[in-house]
Amino acid sequence: MQYSVLVGVYEQLEATSKRLEKTFILSEFLKSADNLDKVVLLVQGRVFPNWDQRELGMAAKLLVKALSLATGAALDKIESVWKETGDIGTVALELTKKKSQATLFSQPLSVQKVFDNLQKIPELEGLGSVDRKVQLVAELLTSASPVEAKYIIRTILGELRVGLGEGTVRDAIVWAFFGDKAGVKYDKATNELDLSDDERMNYDKYVVLVQEALDVVNDFGEVAKIAKEGGDLLNVSLKIGKPVKVMLFKKAKDIKDGFENVGKPAACEFKYDGFRLQIHKFAKIRLFTRRLEDVTAQFPDVVQRIAKNVKGDCIIDAEVVGIEKGKYLPFQSISQRIKRKYDIEEMSRKFPVEVNVFDVLFCDGKNLLKMPFIERRKILEKIIIQVPFEIKLAEEIITDDESVAEKFYRSSLLAGNEGMMMKNLQGIYKPGSRVGFGMKVKPTMDTLEVVIVGAERGEGKRGQWLASFVVAVRDPETGEFVEVGRVGTGIKEKVEEGVSFEQLTQLLQPLIIEEKGREVKVKPEIVIEVDYEEIQKSPTYSSGFALRFPRLVKLREDRSPEDINTVDDIRDLAESQRGRGELK
Ligand code: AMP
């Protein structure tokens, strides 16, 4: 397939803000697309599936170089046009327009070629690799038409801007391959999916089917292919070595509310304040964070323990906690181990961790996702050899008595934990969702997890840093991020004092996708936890709300932008303030 066909779809998607219309456009395209697995990734601006760790990792500055190589325009000229328009994709479009008048005989670009060149980028390492990467991009840009160049650049930056959330791609797979069975009746003229209540229930069944398959295999391309070929989505297989989305938990108001949700009796467990690891043990051992990043190299101590103390091949879910003199440490004390690239052995001596295993998804060739929690726990008891301060099963009691649960909760807090988990004994393991088979109970703290989407360069003594940060929450409807405020406090001047301007600047610099004057826009990747004084309604930010006096509390390297608070949470919090007469 020619890349221009895909670009035509990008343009149609970009031209409408209506979610149903986007679903329709995409589903029609998917029905007829060849290279389906690749195309489904490319429409999302990806060249690797969600479970795959590889990233293109090319900063905007390198793209400027590639553009210069492909078009012959001078570097400083490209940079100045970029600063003016703010969008390097548009710069590519303009420059390629000029060039393409001169070279009329270039080969048309194929989807395969774009895909291949982009996939090669992360493979290049070592001396001369930066130039080779630039060449791979320049090669594409040389044969690209102006709009093709725009979307190639945007794909590499990971900012396609066609407004396509994962939910829409999922629905498009349903429309394309289960359209009749799911009774999809889209009326283009009214932009409505006209379904009766019964029809809606049937339709939702297919949406859930596709979503659940996605949660297990984490690969839109693979799921689309299975759906097209009429394969069994209900029983897509867990693959050891390929991370599965982790199950998430809802928040209980208190212990009584917890029991109401998970039923009685329930399993109550310590809620450790560390970070989650999905551990795959087979011929090799692989460790994945909750964001499904491979952190095997960072935790040789954990790998060694798993090899020694876990029997058989399995996928287990665990919380890794910092521990010092038998007492648990808060998450921040070990968070630096997650991204560490050097001195790893020293770090594991300096910041020892205890592995607390709380679930099992796969064991000795069997997929356990649909097995009740109480049975899964029994399997854990058989396969884990517990060694104090090294590897344990999560501390657990089973009770139907609120006062017993309350006592257990207190003892968990006293041991330095974050709170308590309450789990439904019959609950299955549902990857990727907050279904309420587990509830967390913790002392209320009104912090929010938000993602940084922009920043302003500082002035005076903060001149070389980014100094104020635009933060956003997720809109679950569209999958996009909507702004809720600007954070400038809680960030330190000196690196030794905590999260500093310098550290944030270093993290964000490679993520810059737009620059205008002192303002930059960044790819939404860095998650922070903030507190605030109150939430106000505000037209200034795209969420319609503004956090008043937000302050950075922590950097949340363990969180991905998909995990953060949503605009619905903000609305709920604003509502609950209103009860107290505080919403201005
Ligand atoms: P939260 O991060 O507040 O959404 O709480 C859920 C997280 O608590 C999980 O993702 C785990 O990382 C962590 N956790 C700690 N202890 C447990 C436990 N016993 N069972 C399940 N999750 C736990």
Side-chain angles (χ1 to χ4, degrees), residues 246-249 269-276 290 318-319 358 394-395 418 421 423 434 440 442 449 556 559:
V246 299
M247 176 159 75
L248 298 168
F249 306 93
E269 294 180 355
F270 279 6
K271 182 180 191 305
Y272 302 93
D273 183 16
F275 61 91
R276 194 160 181 171
R290 152 188 177 133
E319 185 84 355
F358 58 79
E395 205 69 49
E418 225 191 340
M421 300 298 308
K423 298 182 181 176
R434 293 185 194 275
K440 50 195 182 198
K442 49 184 184 181
E449 284 164 12
R556 297 297 315 225
R559 296 289 206 252

Side-chain angles (χ1 to χ4, degrees), residues 168 309 337 356:
T168 312
N309 302 306
R337 285 195 60 183
N356 288 280

Side-chain angles (χ1 to χ4, degrees), residues 527-542:
V527 176
I528 57 173
E529 192 174 320
V530 295
D531 68 11
Y532 57 93
E533 241 162 54
E534 63 180 341
I535 297 173
Q536 293 180 320
K537 281 197 168 158
S538 160
T540 315
Y541 297 109
S542 50

